[in-house]
Amino acid sequence: MAAWSLMDQSPLVLAVAIAVSAGMLARLLISAHHVGTGLRSIRQRHRDLLALLGDADLHTGVTVLEHESLTAYCVPGRGHHIVLSSGAITGLDSEGLRAVLAHERAHLNARHDIVLELFTVLHHAVPRQVRCEAALSEVNLLGEALADRAAMRLAGGRSLAEALEVMHNGANPRATLGAAASSNPTKVRLALIRDASSRHTGRATAMLCFAAGTVTLPFALVAVGV
């Protein structure tokens, strides 16, 4: 847009800007194609395996896999599944199981998979030399934290934290969203759960005011002619 404003004075600059923008758009579309088709292929194969190996509970909508590990995850998209291992069912108490199921349903209801897919597309569209793996990890952690907040409203923070501590060594299949996580993200999520259980009215008000000011500042500057 800056180059477009210099169209009359510097047509070469505009041409370069258009070429760079077209290249970025092409990388984005190619990344979207590869990431999207890859995820859908993996998820469809996983659904096929669940149809063969899983035991579907029609009342709860949960697919149970006979395995001793404590694992819970969901397979998003068309024909989505919530999957629990038999080890998770026996290893968690009723409140913990309720919290885990609420976590998985929150992933599906809020379509966190779309958010994660978008950021994955952006991540792979960037040249490998300047990619930031930590940023993509933070987006994944954000999705888990949002599902945790939804589960807390239904099952309570204590039940969710206890279930998360029991399950933190569980392993989730690729291209799924799950309650189990590796050690470090689990510690962060437990800290967020403890923090969310406390009231921080002043901090929340300050954050909302800052966000409102950030949005309205450009319009205010235009209004006063700056």
Side-chain angles (χ1 to χ4, degrees), residues 77-164:
R78 183 178 298 177
H80 58 258
H81 292 270
I82 294 176
V83 183
L84 291 177
S85 65
S86 57
I89 295 175
T90 58
L92 294 170
D93 59 21
S94 59
E95 288 301 312
L97 196 58
R98 184 180 180 216
V100 167
L101 289 175
H103 175 100
E104 302 308 332
R105 292 190 177 107
H107 277 316
L108 296 175
N109 294 336
R111 292 309 306 269
H112 292 157
D113 57 297
I114 295 178
V115 178
L116 296 177
E117 184 173 339
L118 170 62
F119 277 92
T120 303
V121 167
L122 294 174
H123 176 77
H124 287 284
V126 174
R128 188 182 302 274
Q129 295 80 359
V130 293
R131 288 179 192 170
C132 181
E133 298 292 339
L136 188 60
S137 297
E138 289 298 311
V139 174
N140 281 272
L141 180 59
L142 175 62
E144 296 302 321
L146 290 173
D148 286 342
R149 291 293 180 96
M152 285 177 62
R153 289 192 290 270
L154 182 64
R158 181 175 180 177
S159 295
L160 177 62
E162 290 176 349
L164 187 58

Side-chain angles (χ1 to χ4, degrees), residues 5-35:
S5 66
L6 300 173
M7 179 173 55
D8 296 333
Q9 296 89 342
S10 304
L12 180 60
V13 172
L14 177 61
V16 172
I18 291 175
V20 172
S21 298
M24 293 173 63
L25 179 60
R27 286 187 65 97
L28 192 63
L29 293 175
I30 292 171
S31 174
H33 172 72
H34 287 310
V35 171

